[in-house]
């Protein structure tokens, strides 16, 4: 997992497939017809990623070729449904756990992965030293105890958006998701507690540089876990995303 910083925007251009060898006669024929305004490109040619009318490729539910989706297009892929808060309890999402049995629970795993300067690990994965950059507020932190591990999409919001129908095992997997650097993030306790369980319509990080990456992370997490958004959330996301013209969302569907 890499340190959360504003991510470079844009999509790497995709090269056209190399054409197979052609006979001299065929090349001559192509040259004679090249002046036609209606000439159609070869069926197996890939569209240029720089085209203003072509969306980056990506199948619904994932981006298997790594091209990603423009932020506004990704927001529109989130299923729209009413929220359901009934029955929510934080304990419905078991965390933190030591999934790989190495003695470090999810909290410590995130801190180790996101450290700018690596901390020293002691018994039972106790951490001393090290430094971190809280990307929500651009604050450098040198004491791990002053950091919270934020669920990008809070547990209550996840419950509202579909997790209420999940098995306990899947909710545990969500709450301890180390499979994506976007799902969990080490930030100052102040910003995490200011955010609480609110979505982007009610809370945005205070650092201007964090806002587009935050929207990318929020949308990627919802798509990764198949979570929905209600009408108000989708409208707010699209409005907030308007300045983020170069933002691209990449994600993998959770197992």
């Amino acid at each position: 997992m890499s340190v959360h910083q504003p991510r470079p925007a844009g999509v790497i251009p995709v090269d056209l497939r190399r054409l197979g060898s052609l006979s001299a006669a065929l090349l001559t024929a192509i040259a004679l017809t090249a002046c036609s305004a209606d000439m159609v490109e070869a069926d197996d040619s890939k569209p240029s990623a720089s085209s203003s009318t072509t969306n980056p490729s990506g199948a619904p539910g994932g981006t298997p070729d790594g091209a990603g989706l423009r932020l506004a297009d990704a927001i529109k892929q989130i299923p729209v449904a009413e929220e359901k808060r009934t029955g929510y309890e934080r304990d419905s999402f078991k965390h933190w756990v030591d999934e790989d049995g190495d003695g470090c629970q999810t909290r410590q795993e995130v801190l180790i992965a996101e450290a700018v300067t690596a901390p020293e690990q002691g018994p039972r994965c106790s951490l001393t030293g090290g430094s971190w950059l809280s990307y929500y507020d651009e604050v450098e932190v040198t004491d791990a105890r002053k950091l919270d591990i934020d669920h990008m999409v809070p547990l209550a919001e996840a419950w509202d958006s579909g997790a209420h129908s999940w098995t306990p095992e899947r909710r545990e997997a969500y709450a301890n998701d180390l499979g994506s650097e976007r799902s969990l993030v080490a930030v100052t306790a102040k910003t995490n507690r200011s955010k609480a369980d609110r979505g982007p319509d009610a809370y945005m990080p205070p650092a201007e540089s964090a806002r587009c990456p935050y929207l990318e992370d929020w949308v990627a997490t919802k798509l990764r876990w198949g979570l929905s958004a209600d009408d108000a959330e989708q409208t707010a996301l699209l409005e907030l995303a308007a300045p983020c013209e170069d933002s691209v969302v990449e994600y993998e569907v959770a197992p």
Side-chain angles (χ1 to χ4, degrees):
M1 182 182 300
S2 61
V3 178
H4 278 73
Q5 298 176 353
R7 294 171 174 76
V11 182
I12 298 174
V14 180
D15 291 334
L16 295 175
R17 297 178 180 173
R18 294 180 181 275
L19 296 176
S21 60
L22 296 173
S23 66
L26 182 56
L27 286 172
T28 301
I30 291 174
L32 291 173
T33 57
C35 61
S36 172
D38 297 326
M39 186 176 67
V40 179
E41 293 181 353
D43 290 342
D44 64 349
S45 295
K46 293 180 181 178
S48 168
S50 62
S51 171
S52 61
T53 59
T54 303
N55 290 335
S57 57
T63 53
D65 61 2
L69 294 167
R70 294 195 192 108
L71 179 56
D73 293 334
I75 291 168
K76 293 173 185 177
Q77 293 228 5
I78 300 174
V80 177
E82 293 184 4
E83 293 188 347
K84 179 180 178 180
R85 176 62 60 94
T86 305
Y88 168 72
E89 294 181 3
R90 188 172 176 82
D91 291 344
S92 299
F93 296 80
K94 183 180 178 181
H95 66 289
W96 307 111
V97 302
D98 179 8
E99 185 177 5
D100 58 8
D102 67 351
C104 295
Q105 294 186 336
T106 304
R107 172 181 165 81
Q108 284 78 18
E109 297 278 15
V110 175
L111 290 171
I112 292 167
E114 295 196 349
V116 176
T117 304
E120 294 185 5
Q121 297 182 47
R124 299 183 181 179
C125 205
S126 60
L127 304 179
T128 56
S131 66
W132 294 263
L133 179 65
S134 168
Y135 97 88
Y136 286 7
D137 49 3
E138 295 184 333
V139 171
E140 183 180 0
V141 179
T142 56
D143 183 350
R145 293 172 298 180
K146 295 182 179 180
L147 291 164
D148 281 356
I149 306 303
D150 181 37
H151 290 92
M152 176 53 57
V153 175
L155 300 181
E157 170 66 23
W159 177 275
D160 297 351
S161 306
H164 56 266
S165 64
W166 293 352
T167 64
E169 291 76 17
R170 187 156 183 81
R171 287 196 287 267
E172 178 179 327
Y174 176 84
N176 298 275
D177 183 15
L178 295 173
S180 170
E181 67 174 9
R182 300 173 179 274
S183 298
L184 300 168
V185 54
V187 296
T188 56
K190 177 181 179 180
T191 55
N192 182 49
R193 293 165 197 182
S194 294
K195 172 182 173 180
D197 64 359
R198 296 184 292 172
D201 55 328
Y203 173 86
M204 287 291 286
E208 187 71 28
S209 64
R211 298 193 174 189
C212 291
Y214 183 79
L215 292 171
E216 294 169 29
D217 290 354
W218 179 277
V219 173
T221 302
K222 285 228 162 179
L223 290 172
R224 172 171 168 77
W225 287 93
L227 297 171
S228 63
D230 61 15
D231 289 326
E233 179 184 346
Q234 186 185 61
T235 298
L237 286 172
L238 289 170
E239 290 177 353
L240 291 165
C244 307
E245 296 179 356
D246 296 327
S247 289
V248 171
V249 173
E250 298 178 8
Y251 69 99
E252 292 182 1
V253 177

